[in-house]
Amino acid sequence: VIATAISRHYVGNFPAFVVPPYDLLHHSELFLYLILGILAGLVAYAFIRLLYDTGDFFERLNLPPYLKPSIGGAIVGCVGLFFPQIFGVGYETVTQVLSGEVVWSVLLWLLAAKIFATSITLGSGGSGGIFAPTLFLGAVLGGAFGQFFHAIFPSTTASSGAYALVGMGAVFAGTARAPITAMLIIFEMTANYRIILPLMFACTISLVISALLSRESIYTL
């Protein structure tokens, strides 16, 4: 708390992601957030498995240790030629997705590309974490999901940014098995408290689905 107070004093008090105010427009939307929670749990499980399967693959390669991250870097570089959004933490892309500025077909490609690139980076011995990638994955998943259903039910569903926001928390909850942490992180990074019920709903469903498929979280594994 003291560190945050000092940081805000010197660099300013603003959220990590600036998003428009969202709300639950209709109670039927909860069914859509349930589906999003299921999809987030599946994405979280796929991310966990691919990350560690990639690590096992590179461990089996009979190559000097210094060559493995070089190979991984070359592969990620090739992916980045087509999808430069995968580089870095991706917060700029996440902000665009929250604002509904990226079409759903591109978002689905980014979902696959980010999972693959992150798995290659860490599996080959590169340095990095999984917190920012899970937020990225959740945003593009939720953004694509929201755009699809908002086009079908424009009067009873929120804009795609609402689903991207919930997706960020849901994928992290399923990946790290920390649903309360996921909810609080999304609150504090966006300063948006109006979508608490869908966020709690999707995070819990994602956690359950991911836990049914894998006993271990991405950290314990």
Side-chain angles (χ1 to χ4, degrees):
V1 172
I2 293 173
T4 301
I6 293 173
S7 173
R8 288 179 176 176
H9 174 75
Y10 285 105
V11 302
N13 184 8
F14 52 87
F17 302 109
V18 179
V19 295
Y22 296 123
D23 209 341
L24 186 67
L25 295 185
H26 193 271
H27 64 273
S28 61
E29 273 196 284
L30 285 177
F31 178 72
L32 295 181
Y33 285 111
L34 182 149
I35 298 175
L36 178 58
I38 293 174
L39 294 176
L42 295 175
V43 168
Y45 170 71
F47 184 34
I48 293 171
R49 290 308 327 161
L50 185 60
L51 176 63
Y52 285 98
D53 287 347
T54 304
D56 292 341
F57 170 78
F58 275 96
E59 284 184 6
R60 291 194 297 268
L61 290 180
N62 188 23
L63 294 172
Y66 59 85
L67 283 182
K68 295 179 181 179
S70 302
I71 295 172
I75 295 173
V76 172
C78 291
V79 175
L81 290 175
F82 300 95
F83 302 103
Q85 299 94 329
I86 66 168
F87 292 134
V89 293
Y91 285 174
E92 184 175 322
T93 302
V94 170
T95 300
Q96 292 176 342
V97 175
L98 291 172
S99 301
E101 299 176 4
V102 187
V103 297
W104 69 271
S105 56
V106 174
L107 294 177
L108 293 179
W109 279 108
L110 289 178
L111 177 67
K114 188 66 172 180
I115 291 178
F116 178 75
T118 305
S119 299
I120 292 293
T121 299
L122 300 180
S124 65
S127 177
I130 61 98
F131 172 67
T134 54
L135 295 186
F136 185 101
L137 295 175
V140 296
L141 171 67
F145 182 89
Q147 285 186 28
F148 178 81
F149 281 100
H150 187 67
I152 301 175
F153 310 109
S155 61
T156 57
T157 58
S159 62
S160 62
Y163 291 88
L165 188 65
V166 171
M168 289 166 63
V171 172
F172 178 79
T175 304
R177 309 289 167 81
I180 297 176
T181 301
M183 298 171 204
L184 293 177
I185 284 174
I186 298 303
F187 290 156
E188 293 192 310
M189 295 188 76
T190 63
N192 190 319
Y193 293 84
R194 302 187 63 180
I195 203 163
I196 179 173
L197 183 58
L199 185 59
M200 295 173 66
F201 200 49
C203 285
T204 304
I205 296 297
S206 175
L207 169 72
V208 171
I209 296 298
S210 180
L212 287 174
L213 295 173
S214 172
R215 295 180 59 184
E216 303 290 342
S217 74
I218 202 164
Y219 291 120
T220 59
L221 186 63

